[in-house]
Amino acid sequence: MIKGDMEKKRERAIKKVWDAINMHGGTTLLSTGITGDDARMARAAVEAGARLIEPNHPAVVLARGLYGAKDMHAAEAVRHKLPLYEMLKVISGVRSAVGEEIFITVGVPGGFTEKEPIILEDEDFYNIARAGADGLHTHKATLEDLEEWVAKAHKFGLLVDAYIAHPDDKHLLGIPARTPEEVGKVAQAMEQIGVDMIGLMTGMTYEGVAAGEIHPQVKERLEALVNSVKNVPTLAEGGINLTNYQAFKATGVNIIVVGTSFDHLAANAISDAVKQYLSLGE
Amino acid sequence: MIKGDMEKKRERAIKKVWDAINMHGGTTLLSTGITGDDARMARAAVEAGARLIEPNHPAVVLARGLYGAKDMHAAEAVRHKLPLYEMLKVISGVRSAVGEEIFITVGVPGGFTEKEPIILEDEDFYNIARAGADGLHTHKATLEDLEEWVAKAHKFGLLVDAYIAHPDDKHLLGIPARTPEEVGKVAQAMEQIGVDMIGLMTGMTYEGVAAGEIHPQVKERLEALVNSVKNVPTLAEGGINLTNYQAFKATGVNIIVVGTSFDHLAANAISDAVKQYLSLGE
């Protein structure tokens, strides 16, 4: 009764993603951080050309000053506390701000492997879709959980972008794979279970790498991903900024995810202005 | 039973304001717009030296993409729709982000002369104070309503900053006064009824004046305010940005209110970065 409708929704969504990739010469941007949850900044990103937007629950925790979290690391530890209905409001607000043409994938409590497991019901998936999401930004840490998640997401017309992590990452935000060979194998397994967009976590921490270059180990892993995935878009997430994004694009990855870098740019613009208004540090 | 406690709360609050004014050589900043409601940006403003922060309901409407509002003008027309509890969450989030030392004054539905009048009960004032507000950023349009508002605010230990407007302003955000003489008289009346900080609306619209100078008519009005107010801090709000703030400071006003200018700076920083990530307009 709804299977066909939901498939059509998913087709429209993946078309938005491929259109953006093609429009931007093979590599597009998934804009998150403050551009994912603040309607003012989401609009600024979209007006500048971004076509893919990602609100997520740790960023909302940080944006709203919740549970004492003062940076992204702290927010990751308490993100599961955010009630889903707060994310539903964020999704519908951002959708209203950016319009129907933009692809929105959303991180929700339970979509990541949380400190405290969160169970989402069918109704929750349906509400996420109805609030305006095209997809679910997913950071599950086992293939089994991811497979179940994908089935549920697809039932309600939602795409899934999911990630491969390094087992030593500070926050485990994906299926672990230690070597480039393992990255390739996990990527193929993810494609087989129906993941719609397959990404690699590329920052060991949110701070990313210091230099403008991509870390050789990260580069090798990302190339393994890009070479293993056949039919769906690939993503790189973590530590990407204005200094190193060209190195990331050079790997041929389809989507670069940028979040914390936007937060820092906005914060710096504000910090500079405040100092000027107060005639400090001029 | 609580009068003394509430007076102490108000004394602590006004001390925060005077300390900031003195610390910044006579003119300090009331930081609003995105720095008032986004905990990430409030923290950036405070770390750069801002001591006075203002979340307000029209900015929250805009930030959350609510009621179809896509700019500040549209947000002003629907701001009364925001439930007070959403502002309570914003206040406690921002307070948690910036700490106890910072002065927070807050715009709430009913604190301005709204398109649809909103009645606040005693419990609402108490909840605003308990959420972490030091004061109420007030845009009432008659002295009678303002007097009632001040009494209620003081009962619950909240300061009131209120404003004088020009009767031809696009949005009437204060007690109307057409001439500099009227500005002086209204300011004195406001001081008499116990307003704790007295401001002037200095932008005819949010766009402010084009040139770097202060409009002669605005300057005359602002000087009338500064010269009439004896014992409480004065404020200028509207159209203040990095081009004209020095002209505003030169009038001797104690507090310059900056909001939309911060939104634009953050949006521009994001817009420039998005274009660079997408290799557009380089």
Side-chain angles (χ1 to χ4, degrees):
Chain A
M1 189 176 83
I2 55 154
K3 193 157 176 282
D5 289 3
M6 292 302 181
E7 273 168 16
K8 278 205 192 317
K9 174 175 166 66
R10 210 144 58 85
E11 280 162 23
R12 284 194 301 272
I14 196 69
K15 183 172 184 307
K16 290 186 197 178
V17 175
W18 280 117
D19 284 353
I21 293 167
N22 293 330
M23 186 186 303
H24 297 132
T27 308
T28 192
L29 171 72
L30 175 54
S31 192
T32 181
I34 196 167
T35 68
D37 54 63
D38 184 290
R40 294 165 292 204
M41 297 304 117
R43 201 178 296 116
V46 164
E47 283 170 2
R51 309 286 298 171
L52 280 47
I53 295 282
E54 180 215 316
N56 65 67
H57 54 309
V60 168
V61 164
L62 199 61
R64 308 280 164 93
L66 296 173
Y67 320 122
K70 295 206 196 303
D71 59 38
M72 224 25 205
H73 288 303
E76 297 293 4
V78 293
R79 64 184 185 226
H80 61 281
K81 294 180 191 253
L82 190 74
L84 179 63
Y85 65 79
E86 292 290 353
M87 283 311 300
L88 296 179
K89 288 193 281 185
V90 171
I91 300 165
S92 73
V94 171
R95 173 60 76 198
S96 163
V98 302
E100 291 301 320
E101 306 284 291
I102 300 302
F103 176 82
I104 297 177
T105 184
V106 57
V108 296
F112 299 6
T113 294
E114 313 288 4
K115 203 174 159 192
E116 298 293 334
I118 302 288
I119 296 171
L120 294 190
E121 306 294 339
D122 276 23
E123 198 187 349
D124 296 323
F125 284 82
Y126 187 38
N127 286 336
I128 292 165
R130 292 187 67 187
D134 295 302
L136 291 168
H137 181 74
T138 302
H139 287 294
K140 288 291 192 187
T142 68
L143 273 175
E144 293 69 24
D145 283 8
L146 182 57
E147 188 167 11
E148 234 184 281
W149 180 262
V150 167
K152 202 59 79 74
H154 286 184
K155 184 174 171 189
F156 294 98
L158 294 161
L159 297 189
V160 171
D161 57 293
Y163 296 79
I164 299 168
H166 192 286
D168 299 340
D169 282 354
K170 182 163 179 173
H171 305 284
L172 191 62
L173 290 167
I175 316 293
R178 188 168 293 277
T179 63
E181 293 68 35
E182 280 175 38
V183 167
K185 277 188 199 157
V186 171
Q188 285 168 353
M190 286 167 74
E191 196 167 351
Q192 270 190 344
I193 63 174
V195 175
D196 303 279
M197 301 157 72
I198 301 175
L200 182 77
M201 298 309 295
T202 52
M204 294 302 108
T205 74
Y206 280 98
E207 285 78 37
V209 286
E213 280 310 292
I214 192 170
H215 191 288
Q217 194 197 333
V218 173
K219 186 162 179 268
E220 221 182 7
R221 290 164 62 79
L222 192 51
E223 286 168 346
L225 173 79
V226 169
N227 293 329
S228 312
V229 173
K230 297 293 168 222
N231 300 305
V232 304
T234 52
L235 308 93
E237 171 172 5
I240 303 174
N241 53 45
L242 286 173
T243 315
N244 61 20
Y245 74 103
Q246 280 165 320
F248 278 90
K249 286 170 96 162
T251 65
V253 72
N254 297 127
I255 301 165
I256 53 170
V257 186
V258 177
T260 302
S261 168
F262 286 124
D263 292 7
H264 290 165
L265 290 167
N268 287 345
I270 279 163
S271 176
D272 288 349
V274 166
K275 286 175 189 163
Q276 213 173 319
Y277 284 122
L278 295 174
S279 310
L280 301 170
E282 276 176 276
Chain B
M1 187 177 82
I2 55 155
K3 193 157 175 281
D5 289 1
M6 292 301 181
E7 273 169 14
K8 279 206 191 316
K9 174 175 165 66
R10 209 144 59 86
E11 280 163 22
R12 285 194 300 271
I14 197 68
K15 183 172 186 306
K16 291 186 196 178
V17 175
W18 280 118
D19 284 353
I21 293 166
N22 293 330
M23 186 185 305
H24 297 133
T27 306
T28 193
L29 171 71
L30 175 54
S31 192
T32 179
I34 197 167
T35 68
D37 53 65
D38 183 290
R40 294 164 292 204
M41 298 303 117
R43 200 178 296 117
V46 164
E47 283 170 2
R51 309 286 299 171
L52 281 45
I53 295 281
E54 179 214 318
N56 65 67
H57 53 310
V60 169
V61 164
L62 200 60
R64 307 280 164 96
L66 296 173
Y67 320 123
K70 295 205 197 303
D71 60 38
M72 225 24 206
H73 287 304
E76 296 293 4
V78 293
R79 65 186 184 224
H80 60 282
K81 294 179 192 254
L82 190 75
L84 179 63
Y85 65 79
E86 292 290 352
M87 284 311 301
L88 297 179
K89 287 193 282 184
V90 171
I91 300 164
S92 72
V94 171
R95 173 59 76 199
S96 163
V98 302
E100 291 301 318
E101 305 283 290
I102 300 302
F103 175 81
I104 297 177
T105 182
V106 57
V108 296
F112 299 6
T113 294
E114 313 288 4
K115 202 173 158 192
E116 299 293 334
I118 302 288
I119 297 170
L120 294 190
E121 306 294 339
D122 276 24
E123 197 187 350
D124 296 323
F125 284 82
Y126 187 39
N127 287 335
I128 293 166
R130 293 188 67 189
D134 295 301
L136 291 168
H137 181 74
T138 303
H139 287 296
K140 288 290 193 189
T142 69
L143 273 173
E144 294 69 24
D145 283 7
L146 183 56
E147 188 167 12
E148 233 183 281
W149 181 262
V150 167
K152 200 62 76 74
H154 286 184
K155 184 173 171 189
F156 295 97
L158 294 160
L159 297 189
V160 171
D161 56 294
Y163 296 79
I164 298 168
H166 192 286
D168 300 339
D169 283 353
K170 182 163 179 174
H171 305 284
L172 191 62
L173 290 167
I175 316 292
R178 188 168 293 276
T179 63
E181 293 68 36
E182 281 174 38
V183 168
K185 278 189 198 156
V186 172
Q188 284 167 353
M190 285 166 74
E191 197 166 354
Q192 271 190 341
I193 62 174
V195 175
D196 304 278
M197 301 156 73
I198 301 175
L200 181 77
M201 297 309 295
T202 51
M204 296 300 110
T205 73
Y206 282 97
E207 285 77 40
V209 286
E213 279 311 293
I214 192 169
H215 189 287
Q217 194 198 332
V218 173
K219 187 161 180 268
E220 220 182 11
R221 291 163 63 79
L222 192 50
E223 285 168 348
L225 173 78
V226 170
N227 293 329
S228 312
V229 173
K230 298 291 167 223
N231 300 307
V232 304
T234 53
L235 308 94
E237 171 172 3
I240 302 174
N241 52 46
L242 287 174
T243 315
N244 61 21
Y245 75 102
Q246 279 164 322
F248 278 90
K249 286 170 98 162
T251 65
V253 70
N254 298 125
I255 300 165
I256 53 169
V257 186
V258 177
T260 302
S261 168
F262 286 124
D263 292 7
H264 290 166
L265 291 167
N268 288 344
I270 279 163
S271 176
D272 289 349
V274 166
K275 286 176 189 161
Q276 212 173 321
Y277 284 122
L278 295 174
S279 310
L280 302 170
E282 276 178 275

